[in-house]
């Protein structure tokens, strides 16, 4: 049976850290869906449509990866779509506190067989987050190599 994995997140914007997790997860599972969260009450740099478009562009070479979006509870989306695994990336101990809370809460809400699986971020990307990249760029700092080139072009626009 095929294992269907989901990598959920805001991806505002997609970073090299996300890409690293996606490429590694795509090797581990038969099908990987990138689930972009739609949260209209949260201010974002890019719209949901732009975030999905940027992901599709960046992941064109990965045949078993597709891009989708969801709103509301992650667990409802996971149960409805029949995912087996939810992938999250872990950078540092600071991520761990938030992630364990989310994983344990979701474990109560997921269908019985669904697991959250953590991949350790490659050390070269451990300091990167969408928010730090946005802040540095907005204040005029260089973020070359921290997001895909196409995304940097859109951020400059
Ligand atoms: O990239 P992010 O912002 O760290 O992703 C967080 C995300 C989207 C996975 C998380 O906020 C989420 O699952 N949101 C959907 C709402 C939800 O299910 N909340 C309860 C989590 S226990």
């Amino acid at each position: 049976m095929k294992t269907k994995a989901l990598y959920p997140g805001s991806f505002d914007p997609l970073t090299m850290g996300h890409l690293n997790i996606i490429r590694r997860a795509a090797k581990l599972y038969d099908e990987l869906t990138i689930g972009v969260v739609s949260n209209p009450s949260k201010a974002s740099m890019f719209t949901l449509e732009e975030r999905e478009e940027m992901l599709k562009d960046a992941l064109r070479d990965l045949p078993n990866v597709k891009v989708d979006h969801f709103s509301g509870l992650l667990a409802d989306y996971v149960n409805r779509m029949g995912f087996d695994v939810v992938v999250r990336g872990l950078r540092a101990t600071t991520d761990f506190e938030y992630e364990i809370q989310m994983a344990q809460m979701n474990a109560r809400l997921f269908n019985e067989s669904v697991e959250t699986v953590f991949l350790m971020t490659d050390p070269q990307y451990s300091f990167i987050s969408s928010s730090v990249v946005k802040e540095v760029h907005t204040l005029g700092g260089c973020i070359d190599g921290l997001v895909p080139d196409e995304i940097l072009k859109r951020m400059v626009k």
Side-chain angles (χ1 to χ4, degrees), residues 16-17 20 24 91 120-128 145-146:
M16 293 311 232
N20 176 257
R24 289 161 54 204
R91 284 167 301 195
M120 300 303 155
T121 299
D122 190 299
Q124 64 176 309
Y125 304 120
S126 62
F127 64 97
I128 306 177
L146 305 186

Side-chain angles (χ1 to χ4, degrees), residues 53-150:
E53 200 181 298
M54 290 187 288
L55 275 155
K56 282 179 188 161
D57 278 354
L59 304 174
R60 234 193 276 271
D61 63 316
L62 298 173
N64 64 333
V65 176
K66 62 182 178 184
V67 180
D68 190 17
H69 62 265
F70 71 98
S71 56
L73 268 187
L74 173 72
D76 287 343
Y77 174 60
V78 167
N79 293 339
R80 189 173 70 245
M81 301 295 285
F83 291 111
D84 305 294
V85 171
V86 172
V87 175
R88 294 284 291 168
L90 267 188
R91 284 167 301 195
T93 49
T94 40
D95 279 346
F96 182 76
E97 307 241 326
Y98 168 63
E99 293 294 338
I100 193 170
Q101 183 186 29
M102 203 159 65
Q104 289 176 340
M105 184 68 215
N106 279 332
R108 287 174 55 98
L109 305 170
F110 285 158
N111 288 341
E112 209 177 303
S113 58
V114 182
E115 289 288 352
T116 301
V117 169
F118 294 100
L119 294 183
M120 300 303 155
T121 299
D122 190 299
Q124 64 176 309
Y125 304 120
S126 62
F127 64 97
I128 306 177
S129 69
S130 295
S131 22
V132 86
V133 156
K134 276 187 284 194
E135 185 172 334
V136 169
H137 178 71
T138 307
L139 298 174
C142 174
I143 54 161
D144 285 4
L146 305 186
V147 298
D149 289 345
E150 281 309 308

